[in-house]
Amino acid sequence: MTLKWWQTAVFYQIYPRSFADGNGDGIGDFMGMTAKLDTLKELGVDALWLSPHFPSPMWDCGYDISDYTSVAPEYGTLEDFKTFLEAAHRRGLRVILDLALNHTSDEHAWFLESKSSRDNPKADWYVWMDPLPPPSLRDASPVSNGRNVGGREGVPNNWQSCFDGPAWTYAPERRQYYYHYFMKQQPDLNWQNPAVKQAMWDAARFWLDLGVDGFRLDAIGTIYEHPDMPDHPVPLTLAEMRLASDRAKTDAERKQVGDYWREMFQYQYGRPGVHDLMKELRSILDEYDGDRMLVGEDDDVNYMGDGKDELHMVFNFPLMRADRLTPAHIRRNQAERLAALAKVSPQAWPCNTLGNHDSPRIHNRYGDGEHDRELARLSLATVLALKGTPFLYNGEEIGMTDFYLTDISQFKDTLATWYYREAVEKLGVDPAEALHNAARQTRDKCRTPMQWQDAPNGGFCPAGVAPWLPVNPDFAKGVNVADQRVDPASLWTFYQEMLAARKSNPALLEGDYLPLQENSETCLAFLRRADSQTCLVVLNFSDQPDLLDFSNLPYREMQLLFTSGRPPRSMALDAIQVDRFGVLIAEVA
Ligand code: NOJ
């Protein structure tokens, strides 16, 4: 079987602002990233995904882009980017960039021009609507249609942004509202306009011409809206919904919030049209040599088109959407996911991840407070041993944890500062509860600077310099790269060994997935079967050793390839011993 590079690669997501500060200003940059390439190579990853590196006013930590064809000055220059790309390629590391298609920054020249008047050349580049006339002129219905959410007369409808209240913001220059799915500083582009497409495709070409290997496409589900813009039926504002989510205690309450969330955004998300757009972008990538690739920030496998004409991959987010990673959850997820992919095309390729810059750290999400480190190993083993391309998030390899901020002035994620203010000022929430909720909802908690060594600021930036977000002080307790690199028992070393095991065993790269022992509550066991090799994988999620019987399989011999602990005493297929929280990978024949 001949696989493409992006099918065998393990991707590593770099959050540039927090990765490595090369010039000592407290902010990560390209000089810093370039200097760490050897370390990443040593870890054993193959490809890097950079969260946005473009100029940005940073209302959404770089996902509000004000210029698609240059580099944020605090990260360096275009020359620094080229140096980084060349250095990565020289080491055999591929690089993909993050492309936000749905929206730009409100400081992007396109938007400044668009909002300047109703008849400028870019007047139609964003989603503009006239204010609604006062209700007396509209209809005689006494029933409120919710269009005054936020107390604003004239808003085109009751849609909410998923980050900061009403989805419509008034621009006095045009005496019109513009639409934004995210913050008001992130106006939605009007993708019905061919000139918008052209401009964005030119930007994509700019980076492809420089040699980047592909893109992670941000929030593709939000690109189009329902053309009639009907009101949603949810009787809450965004802040009220977030609060309801924080206060939900029972399953029924949690389900209600989930339903509300879906209903609130039903006209703003997953609209038709995206498929054609993805086809257009794919055809541009296919003009280039080197198998450039696209991965979509969406879990809908239909964005892979017929398997060849849209995206190369979409993320298996349902795998990570769980409070605990259990064998039953993983088995269910794989059964559903692989079946859905098979319907797309026999070649449709899975893509597994358990964390990124928007989600809690693996320790906090899947840990039990007692065996977090052991469970973190199992999380890695899961994404590396399942079929598909794994995406890892920087810092997980040393077991970085969520860092809860304690003072609202430290927060950088405006989603959380907005929520805090709304809760305190409009919903009357006690500031201590609001701070607690904001600290848990903010994405700052998983974006704190990378911890390189037991040194001031965790070695991220020089002593005496204030890092852009506080560094988690647990760098002094062994949560840092330098200490773990030389410790054979560290999480870093485990990552290194598992990455190497994956790379050297074809079954782990290309083999199909066959679940075994499907009733086990504590062990996840499966086969990965390729033409040249078959591997048995067993992950024990419990704190007790387990003895498993695989004698019903048509294999007689077993050769140990990888184990997280001591080699098992017996390698007989009818009595395989797996340590507590153990990982065992064996070749069977
Ligand atoms: C998804 C990104 O991952 C997230 O960080 C960002 O805030 C939104 N899209 C908006 O671009």
Side-chain angles (χ1 to χ4, degrees), residues 129-357:
M129 289 285 280
D130 286 333
L132 277 191
S136 54
L137 301 177
R138 217 184 301 153
D139 62 39
S141 162
V143 182
S144 159
N145 64 2
R147 290 182 184 203
N148 291 329
V149 167
R152 195 106 186 227
E153 198 61 65
V155 182
N157 64 18
N158 71 353
W159 288 1
Q160 298 282 286
S161 109
C162 77
F163 279 177
D164 67 351
W168 298 96
T169 293
Y170 189 70
E173 298 90 332
R174 286 177 63 137
R175 279 178 284 115
Q176 278 184 315
Y177 285 92
Y178 65 87
Y179 170 70
H180 47 96
Y181 185 91
F182 297 98
M183 260 161 229
K184 55 176 144 317
Q185 291 83 4
Q186 294 168 290
D188 270 46
L189 283 160
N190 172 15
W191 280 91
Q192 311 287 354
N193 185 337
V196 166
K197 283 190 199 170
Q198 200 47 56
M200 197 58 94
W201 298 162
D202 285 350
R205 283 180 193 282
F206 176 85
W207 298 104
L208 292 169
D209 288 340
L210 287 179
V212 305
D213 297 286
F215 300 105
R216 174 263 192 190
L217 300 178
D218 185 65
I220 49 174
T222 63
I223 289 177
Y224 292 104
E225 297 76 46
H226 193 296
D228 303 334
M229 304 201 160
D231 280 349
H232 68 72
V234 178
L236 300 180
T237 62
L238 180 78
E240 287 166 344
M241 197 162 65
R242 285 202 184 277
L243 187 61
S245 154
D246 281 330
R247 288 182 173 171
K249 296 219 163 41
T250 62
D251 283 349
E253 285 169 342
R254 277 188 283 272
K255 177 173 179 314
Q256 173 70 88
V257 177
D259 290 346
Y260 273 162
W261 191 274
R262 264 185 306 281
E263 287 168 21
M264 183 177 271
F265 294 105
Q266 63 184 308
Y267 302 120
Q268 299 166 252
Y269 197 88
R271 308 296 314 164
V274 182
H275 292 287
D276 288 339
L277 205 64
M278 295 301 104
K279 286 195 178 100
E280 266 188 52
L281 182 53
R282 172 65 179 264
S283 66
I284 292 175
L285 264 86
D286 287 347
E287 288 168 22
Y288 287 81
D289 60 5
D291 293 317
R292 317 290 173 105
M293 58 77 75
L294 296 169
V295 56
E297 193 217 357
D298 206 290
D299 53 45
D300 184 352
V301 293
N302 293 313
Y303 288 128
M304 296 165 82
D306 67 6
K308 289 191 289 294
D309 63 347
E310 293 189 36
L311 305 182
H312 298 78
M313 297 187 287
V314 293
F315 290 107
N316 176 8
F317 288 134
L319 177 66
M320 68 189 251
R321 272 187 221 122
D323 292 334
R324 293 298 287 278
L325 211 54
T326 61
H329 167 72
I330 300 168
R331 277 194 293 265
R332 212 176 312 116
N333 170 270
Q334 288 301 291
E336 288 169 12
R337 198 72 190 166
L338 294 173
L341 286 163
K343 281 197 195 142
V344 168
S345 135
Q347 280 82 41
W349 194 253
C351 175
N352 298 308
T353 186
L354 290 174
N356 56 43
H357 65 295

Side-chain angles (χ1 to χ4, degrees), residues 530-547:
D531 289 345
S532 59
Q533 186 192 39
T534 296
C535 285
L536 170 69
V537 178
V538 187
L539 312 182
N540 181 358
F541 282 80
S542 86
D543 61 358
Q544 300 297 319
D546 211 340
L547 199 62

Side-chain angles (χ1 to χ4, degrees), residues 289-581:
D289 60 5
D291 293 317
R292 317 290 173 105
M293 58 77 75
L294 296 169
V295 56
E297 193 217 357
D298 206 290
D299 53 45
D300 184 352
V301 293
N302 293 313
Y303 288 128
M304 296 165 82
D306 67 6
K308 289 191 289 294
D309 63 347
E310 293 189 36
L311 305 182
H312 298 78
M313 297 187 287
V314 293
F315 290 107
N316 176 8
F317 288 134
L319 177 66
M320 68 189 251
R321 272 187 221 122
D323 292 334
R324 293 298 287 278
L325 211 54
T326 61
H329 167 72
I330 300 168
R331 277 194 293 265
R332 212 176 312 116
N333 170 270
Q334 288 301 291
E336 288 169 12
R337 198 72 190 166
L338 294 173
L341 286 163
K343 281 197 195 142
V344 168
S345 135
Q347 280 82 41
W349 194 253
C351 175
N352 298 308
T353 186
L354 290 174
N356 56 43
H357 65 295
D358 291 330
S359 63
R361 289 274 185 190
I362 283 175
H363 263 62
N364 301 74
R365 190 159 193 169
Y366 306 120
D368 62 3
E370 219 182 311
H371 309 104
D372 297 352
R373 203 41 72 94
E374 291 88 338
L375 291 166
R377 288 171 200 236
L378 289 168
S379 298
L380 177 75
T382 302
V383 283
L384 291 194
L386 288 178
K387 181 177 178 187
T389 299
F391 272 67
L392 312 176
Y393 178 51
N394 62 197
E396 294 296 354
E397 69 276 25
I398 49 170
M400 282 178 65
T401 57
D402 282 346
F403 186 56
Y404 299 121
L405 301 173
T406 51
D407 185 331
I408 198 70
S409 68
Q410 297 172 312
F411 285 59
K412 292 291 185 293
D413 185 2
T414 40
L415 171 160
T417 48
W418 172 85
Y419 173 50
Y420 173 83
R421 261 196 332 271
E422 289 284 301
V424 173
E425 291 167 15
K426 301 223 178 99
L427 306 179
V429 176
D430 178 70
E433 181 189 346
L435 181 66
H436 174 90
N437 292 344
R440 270 146 190 84
Q441 288 216 0
T442 181
R443 299 164 299 169
D444 291 333
K445 65 179 188 287
C446 67
R447 298 175 176 176
T448 57
M450 184 73 191
Q451 298 162 203
W452 292 102
Q453 49 183 308
D454 182 4
N457 289 323
F460 166 72
C461 61
V465 171
W468 79 283
L469 263 182
V471 179
N472 188 332
D474 68 3
F475 66 78
K477 294 189 192 140
V479 187
N480 71 71
V481 175
D483 287 354
Q484 294 197 20
R485 251 170 99 187
V486 293
D487 175 1
S490 71
L491 191 57
W492 165 282
T493 305
F494 180 78
Y495 262 65
Q496 213 179 22
E497 289 170 356
M498 259 227 85
L499 284 159
R502 182 185 143 90
K503 202 166 292 182
S504 54
N505 287 290
L508 297 180
L509 300 174
E510 65 193 48
D512 66 2
Y513 160 90
L514 189 83
L516 304 172
Q517 310 259 357
E518 293 192 69
N519 294 324
S520 170
E521 284 177 18
T522 49
C523 275
L524 178 74
F526 55 90
L527 290 178
R528 297 287 315 277
R529 295 176 309 188
D531 289 345
S532 59
Q533 186 192 39
T534 296
C535 285
L536 170 69
V537 178
V538 187
L539 312 182
N540 181 358
F541 282 80
S542 86
D543 61 358
Q544 300 297 319
D546 211 340
L547 199 62
L548 294 151
D549 179 357
F550 293 101
S551 57
N552 61 336
L553 296 177
Y555 306 110
R556 290 292 151 255
E557 286 167 30
M558 198 172 94
Q559 191 201 335
L560 186 67
L561 298 174
F562 181 86
T563 172
S564 56
R566 289 159 291 142
R569 259 171 282 128
S570 138
M571 290 295 283
L573 270 147
D574 61 352
I576 296 180
Q577 171 142 18
V578 190
D579 278 350
R580 60 199 289 271
F581 301 112

